Amino acid sequence: MEGAGYRVVFEKGGVYLHTSAKKHQDPDSLIAGVIRVVEKDNDVLLHWAPVEEAGDSTQIFFSKKDASGSDSCTSEEEPTFDPGYEPDWAVISTVQPRARRSEPTRGAEPSSPWGSWAFSVSLGELKSIRRSKPGLSWAYLVLVTQAGGSLPALHFHRGGTRALLRVLSRYLLLASSPQDSRLYLVFPHDSSALSSSFHQLQLFDQDSSNVVSRFLQDPYSTTFGGFSRVTNFFRGALQPHPEGASPDLPPPPEDEPEPGFEVISCVELGPRPAVERAPPVTEEEWARHVGPEGRLQQVPALKARIFSGGLSPGLRREAWKFLLGYLSWEGSAEEHKAHMRKKTDEYFRMKLQWKSVSPEQERRNSLLHGYRSLIERDVSRTDRTNKFYEGPQNPGLGLLSDILLTYCMYHFDLGYVQGMSDLLSPILYVIQNEVDAFWCFCGFMELVHGNFEESQETMKRQLGQLLLLLRVLDPPLCDFLDSQDSGSLCFCFRWLLIWFKREFPFPDVLRLWEVLWTGLPGPNLHLLVACAILDMERDTLMLSGFGSNEILKHINELTMKLSVEDVLTRAEALYRQLTACPELPHNVQEVLGLVPPAEPCSPSPSVSPLPLSPTRAPPAPPPPADTAAQPDSSLEILPEEEEEEEGANS
């Protein structure tokens, strides 16, 4: 809308100030408002006003957009999505930044208690913009001015941070800080033509700041990078156009490939092969692999059978001890007995450490007391519908608590984190022995302990790897999720954190885990399981026109409705389809375990969409089954002091 001397170029409702530092905001501490970008008197202003003020032209220097523009703002909030389950297990802090009061709008006397929170700032006065981390809470932006002060944090309850950044990128250069990928440094445009070109090419749909920052350093390869994010691969005869290149940019040497990219005329996955699952391994079949002195023979073939069919229920108690590393595949029966005696003594020594602590001592040991309280609370609601754990005085609950407290003595640095009880429960159910279940649980935790670490690196890496696989397998689905502010795949967090424990019925979880523990056909089959589920639901997601709330709701409603055999069949088919591609990007080969992973160049890979790297080598054959790496499960757990970013409205 235009008025005398001003023009509203962007408006978004549902932008809140959180005026309390409490973990859970009270309704009275949330101030609903409208954010606007306004061109006025040869200047561009960013203005936020409470809902009550935003519609009153006497309180602000421009009037509200009419119905012909973007959606008008009302005082009613959209209902937030209730995920339908208790999210404490996710180990995610919901601490929001404390909003600081700013000066009221120029020339306005507040007519309500919230009027004094309104603010307006010229874009030229901005120094930096900080964006929140990906998570399961609302996204927010923190604006810092040239004077060094921070404006109140803007929480986007209905999404819109990317749209706002895209608009700001028309007037400013937003360069990602090399020290902090979430911090955007603000610079004025040196060239209006550069701004116009970027805007017309829509290179900012994913992450405007990173594109601009890289463009300033290497405009040639970054331009290709921008197009690659639109198409995921270079298709057809896409070549740099002379008219679109910078006049100061020399042509690249013909005999030297461009850094980080290889132009591929067409990279298409072949047809998806048909896969059939085999029947479970029986006790008789297992016995045929037991040789003299009780040593297992033809172990690679045995693992391959477990991968293709799983185990019969009566065999799990013995076989899981091998799959989880408690017993050696090469050991004899006598060696196994000696090993178990040694591990039994070790377990009870660790258990005695916390058993011998008196109530008086525990009152002075806040760490142990905190672990015990958390474990008791989690155990009391873990798999209580399973007959093995049902009832108020069930001895299985006591064993769960004892094993988890002993694990705190075993792994002091990690201790206990919510969600671990979900991983132990099926193991204790199958093993039905306290000591053996403990050591099998330790073996499982060796695979997934990164999921529960405060550094968040492994969870962050897994989300990035999952997104990379999905971009290769189904670019249209990725584009759809991006368009609905769901491209970060936050809704997959629970899947990866506890290995789909709450997505399948209990018997199916046992089958899924024993297949994943084989480490076949590669180190990240659990990521392909996630891709398989999304592939099964792609038509429902895309054809129903779901928004971010509906996507999260639909994914959550899949709980207990999935068939593990169907999912595993599709996951294996996806793996074969990928590995059959002769031009598979190198970083995808790394995720699948076809080539050794490159040395990490930075300690924290971004969770944002990963560009596909060129094919630097043909796919190597899958590693031998007996040397295949174990699955590396991981994703991010936010520490208390960190605020969270763009997530689903849960």
Side-chain angles (χ1 to χ4, degrees), residues 220-434:
Y220 187 82
S221 61
T222 302
T223 301
F224 273 100
F227 279 113
S228 72
R229 291 197 296 189
V230 176
T231 63
N232 295 291
F233 296 91
F234 298 115
R235 301 185 187 275
L238 179 62
Q239 298 291 339
H241 200 280
E243 292 84 349
S246 169
D248 300 325
L249 184 66
E254 294 183 1
D255 59 346
E256 183 177 335
E258 289 308 310
F261 296 97
E262 177 180 317
V263 178
I264 302 172
S265 59
C266 184
V267 176
E268 299 215 2
L269 298 177
R272 189 174 299 174
V275 172
E276 291 187 6
R277 299 280 299 164
V281 178
T282 63
E283 296 174 64
E284 293 76 14
E285 184 177 354
W286 178 276
R288 290 197 294 270
H289 285 267
V290 179
E293 300 181 347
R295 297 181 191 273
L296 288 172
Q297 299 176 330
Q298 300 177 320
V299 172
L302 181 57
K303 285 185 179 180
R305 275 288 293 118
I306 298 173
F307 166 75
S308 63
L311 296 162
S312 61
L315 183 56
R316 286 182 174 134
R317 185 174 183 181
E318 179 180 0
W320 279 25
K321 298 173 186 177
F322 292 91
L323 289 170
L324 290 168
Y326 178 37
L327 298 181
S328 169
W329 292 95
E330 295 79 22
S332 66
E334 288 301 320
E335 290 170 343
H336 290 157
K337 289 179 182 178
H339 177 75
M340 294 172 70
R341 285 194 297 268
K342 176 184 175 183
K343 287 299 184 180
T344 299
D345 292 341
E346 187 176 344
Y347 172 79
F348 283 109
R349 281 198 302 270
M350 290 186 292
K351 184 175 181 178
L352 185 61
Q353 292 176 6
W354 63 265
K355 276 283 191 180
S356 60
V357 174
S358 67
E360 291 76 13
Q361 287 178 299
E362 186 171 326
R363 281 198 295 268
R364 294 186 291 272
N365 188 332
S366 58
L367 187 61
L368 178 60
H369 180 73
Y371 284 150
R372 187 192 294 271
S373 299
L374 192 57
I375 289 171
E376 289 176 353
R377 187 182 71 177
D378 285 359
V379 164
S380 67
R381 55 190 184 187
T382 298
D383 291 326
R384 297 308 302 276
T385 58
N386 187 303
K387 290 184 178 180
F388 190 76
Y389 298 109
E390 68 181 4
Q393 302 297 328
N394 192 297
L397 302 180
L399 291 178
L400 280 177
S401 297
D402 287 0
I403 292 173
L404 292 171
L405 275 169
T406 306
Y407 185 78
C408 295
M409 303 294 106
Y410 172 79
H411 200 317
F412 283 105
D413 291 338
L414 185 60
Y416 177 79
V417 183
Q418 288 174 319
M420 290 183 181
S421 61
D422 274 296
L423 302 184
L424 173 60
S425 169
I427 294 176
L428 181 59
Y429 170 84
V430 168
I431 302 298
Q432 299 195 8
N433 176 279
E434 180 180 359

Side-chain angles (χ1 to χ4, degrees), residues 272-278 307 568-574 576:
R272 189 174 299 174
V275 172
E276 291 187 6
R277 299 280 299 164
F307 166 75
L568 286 172
T569 299
R570 190 168 302 223
E572 185 178 354
L574 293 176
R576 294 186 185 181

Side-chain angles (χ1 to χ4, degrees), residues 4-7 38-45 61-62 106:
Y6 70 85
R7 183 169 72 95
V38 183
E39 293 179 351
K40 181 178 186 293
D41 299 333
N42 298 321
D43 195 6
V44 183
L45 304 169
F61 55 82
F62 55 88
R106 294 193 293 261

Side-chain angles (χ1 to χ4, degrees), residues 3 67 75 86 115 133 142 215 234 290-291 351-353 401 413 466 478 493 522-523 528 562 586 612 635:
S75 59
E86 292 185 282
K133 278 192 174 183
V142 177
F215 186 90
F234 298 115
V290 179
K351 184 175 181 178
L352 185 61
Q353 292 176 6
S401 297
D413 291 338
L466 175 58
C478 279
F493 186 93
L528 289 170
L562 299 168
H586 189 270
L612 297 175
L635 224 153

